[in-house]
Amino acid sequence: MVIAGIVAEYNPFHNGHEWHIRRTREALGEDAVIVCCMSGDFVQRGEAAAYSKFARAEAAARCGADLVFELPLPWALSSAEGFARGTVGLLAQLGAVDVLSFGSECGDADALSAAAEALLDPSLGPEIREALADGVPFAAARQSALALRSPESAALLSTPNNILAVEYIKALYDLRSDMRIITFRREGAEHDGAGSGSIRSASELRTHLAAGRDIAPFIPAAAAEVFAREHALGRGPVSGRDIEPLLLSRLRMLPDEAFEALPDASEGLANRLMRAAREEPGWDGVLSAAKTKRYALSRLRRMCMCACLGIRKGMADGLPPYARILAATARGREALRLIAGRTRIPIITKPAVARELPREALAVFELGASARDLYVLTASAREERRGGSDWRTGPAVL
């Protein structure tokens, strides 16, 4: 049995995601087990997911994935490096994942590995700090420093999927994992761009959803059925407009010290964000008022979301302390028996089991449950806004 790990957000699950799962299985054999580590109700962009983690996991399982685990909240709302460490770390701790499969713009595993090795060279540090002194964001400073040594590797860091791929490989090196890697050239639209044909970016599909347009031509039929059900039950899709007032109210109620305790709150950024949160009339206004040349918008979005959800600096420094199953197929349940004998972290099959976790791990689970209590308030159906749903909802078993 070959087990392949995939890092995902599936926000929403679309034809490109199904293509990636299919290509992975073709490369490894039809009996390969596909295990995904997926963000929950809030994603790495610092936004609420268009559909709940349970719906997105079920859609993935109906379209080729065998097991879907949730990436706990602090890592889901971390930087690219923290996100990669969390996802790869969770998969590695399962003890049974043989291969890490991911998409990239270049589709060249050797080139991505070379870039990862170059970035892990500690002697690159002074050159990065010198570039940072010019007031540019960290990602640009790192790319600029790398370009002095390896222009080819630096060029790879110009596109988002390549960047994440390099971070995945760095995480494998840091963890001393023996997982092999395979990568496939990304098909269809660019990460945040408009496309043509049947494969569109998740960003474009979220734009369609926010405008009330049909995305069925761009997602597998089984996923479309899941999302149609969520819509009929008044549970989605969720847009920024739905959640903005809830987030602003939380930001404005925070004490000064809460902003200082945020991840990446440095060099006066916490104060800028605090003032903006208390003065600006909208979410975009808060981000615009706090933004400077030095800080990427994505970093500010994550900081704001971390503030709203109670995530403090240091929470994502280690590795996820448990693996919660959101969806499983028959083949996934078979693989789970193998994983159960090898895993180095608890496997959560039912939410009630989480109450037996060690104190620090339980605190992480409770943080995610609290975040879900905020997320469900966006539901148009009143009954769907009940609190505590994270403790009542088990995995989709197919």
Side-chain angles (χ1 to χ4, degrees):
M1 177 186 293
V2 177
I3 300 180
I6 290 177
V7 174
E9 290 195 311
Y10 296 150
N11 185 32
F13 191 94
H14 57 62
N15 289 339
H17 297 136
E18 184 185 49
W19 176 89
H20 176 216
I21 291 173
R22 185 171 65 252
R23 286 294 308 275
T24 300
R25 187 162 275 129
E26 288 172 354
L28 300 176
E30 285 304 310
D31 61 344
V33 178
I34 306 298
V35 175
C36 301
C37 181
M38 188 192 80
S39 297
D41 292 322
F42 295 89
V43 296
Q44 204 258 342
R45 295 171 63 91
E47 297 175 350
Y51 292 99
S52 80
K53 60 189 178 186
F54 299 110
R56 289 163 27 243
E58 181 183 346
R62 293 188 180 280
C63 297
D66 295 305
L67 281 171
V68 182
F69 290 96
E70 178 184 6
L71 176 65
L73 188 65
W75 291 269
L77 283 171
S78 188
S79 65
E81 184 175 18
F83 177 83
R85 183 177 61 250
T87 50
V88 174
L90 188 150
L91 292 170
Q93 289 182 105
L94 295 178
V97 178
D98 304 294
V99 180
L100 183 66
S101 174
F102 49 83
S104 61
E105 285 85 2
C106 73
D108 187 334
D110 290 337
L112 293 167
S113 297
E117 291 174 9
L119 289 177
L120 287 170
D121 185 347
S123 68
L124 192 65
E127 294 165 28
I128 294 176
R129 289 191 290 274
E130 183 178 344
L132 284 170
D134 294 332
V136 298
F138 174 79
R142 186 178 69 166
Q143 185 179 13
S144 175
L146 184 59
L148 299 175
R149 301 186 178 194
S150 175
E152 298 83 5
S153 291
L156 293 177
L157 302 183
S158 299
T159 50
N161 288 282
N162 281 349
I163 291 172
L164 275 175
V166 168
E167 294 297 344
Y168 300 151
I169 298 169
K170 283 175 56 189
L172 288 173
Y173 288 153
D174 285 341
L175 294 167
R176 294 178 171 82
S177 171
D178 58 1
M179 268 190 270
R180 296 180 288 116
I181 61 170
I182 55 173
T183 186
F184 301 97
R185 188 185 300 275
R186 181 182 173 89
E187 296 290 333
E190 295 181 1
H191 182 75
D192 279 330
S196 59
S198 64
I199 296 181
R200 305 293 178 93
S201 71
S203 176
E204 181 180 353
L205 297 186
R206 291 192 298 274
T207 299
H208 287 329
L209 287 171
R213 294 193 289 268
D214 183 25
I215 65 169
F218 314 115
I219 62 177
E225 290 177 4
V226 173
F227 298 146
R229 180 198 67 203
E230 295 298 294
H231 181 78
L233 292 173
R235 297 197 295 225
V238 175
S239 71
R241 293 190 306 272
D242 299 323
I243 204 165
E244 180 181 280
L246 306 174
L247 298 176
L248 283 175
S249 67
R250 286 205 172 188
L251 281 180
R252 289 179 179 177
M253 294 174 67
L254 288 176
D256 295 1
E257 57 269 22
F259 287 93
E260 293 291 344
L262 290 174
D264 294 328
S266 59
E267 301 173 351
L269 183 55
N271 288 331
R272 291 179 62 88
L273 190 58
M274 180 177 63
R275 288 195 300 269
R278 293 172 179 174
E279 295 173 3
E280 294 298 323
W283 189 253
D284 288 342
V286 172
L287 297 175
S288 297
K291 177 143 178 38
T292 68
K293 175 184 175 183
R294 179 71 175 268
Y295 304 114
L297 194 59
S298 56
R299 177 177 175 178
L300 291 171
R301 282 199 304 261
R302 284 194 298 273
M303 281 186 67
C304 284
M305 194 63 76
C306 286
C308 294
L309 301 179
I311 301 172
R312 301 182 303 278
K313 65 178 65 174
M315 283 186 170
D317 284 352
L319 298 178
Y322 60 82
R324 180 188 188 175
I325 299 175
L326 297 178
T329 65
R331 181 158 43 183
R333 296 195 298 277
E334 180 182 348
L336 192 58
R337 288 192 284 272
L338 174 64
I339 291 171
R342 298 183 181 181
T343 181
R344 299 190 292 276
I345 52 176
I347 304 294
I348 306 299
T349 55
K350 298 179 181 179
V353 176
R355 299 192 188 278
E356 302 171 8
L357 290 170
R359 185 179 63 179
E360 291 186 1
L362 175 59
V364 173
F365 190 96
E366 289 174 335
L367 192 69
S370 176
R372 177 150 184 84
D373 281 345
L374 175 66
Y375 182 86
V376 298
L377 291 176
T378 62
S380 59
R382 183 181 181 85
E383 180 61 22
E384 297 296 336
R385 300 176 201 158
R386 294 181 62 211
S389 66
D390 218 34
W391 293 101
R392 297 190 300 271
T393 309
V397 179
L398 308 180

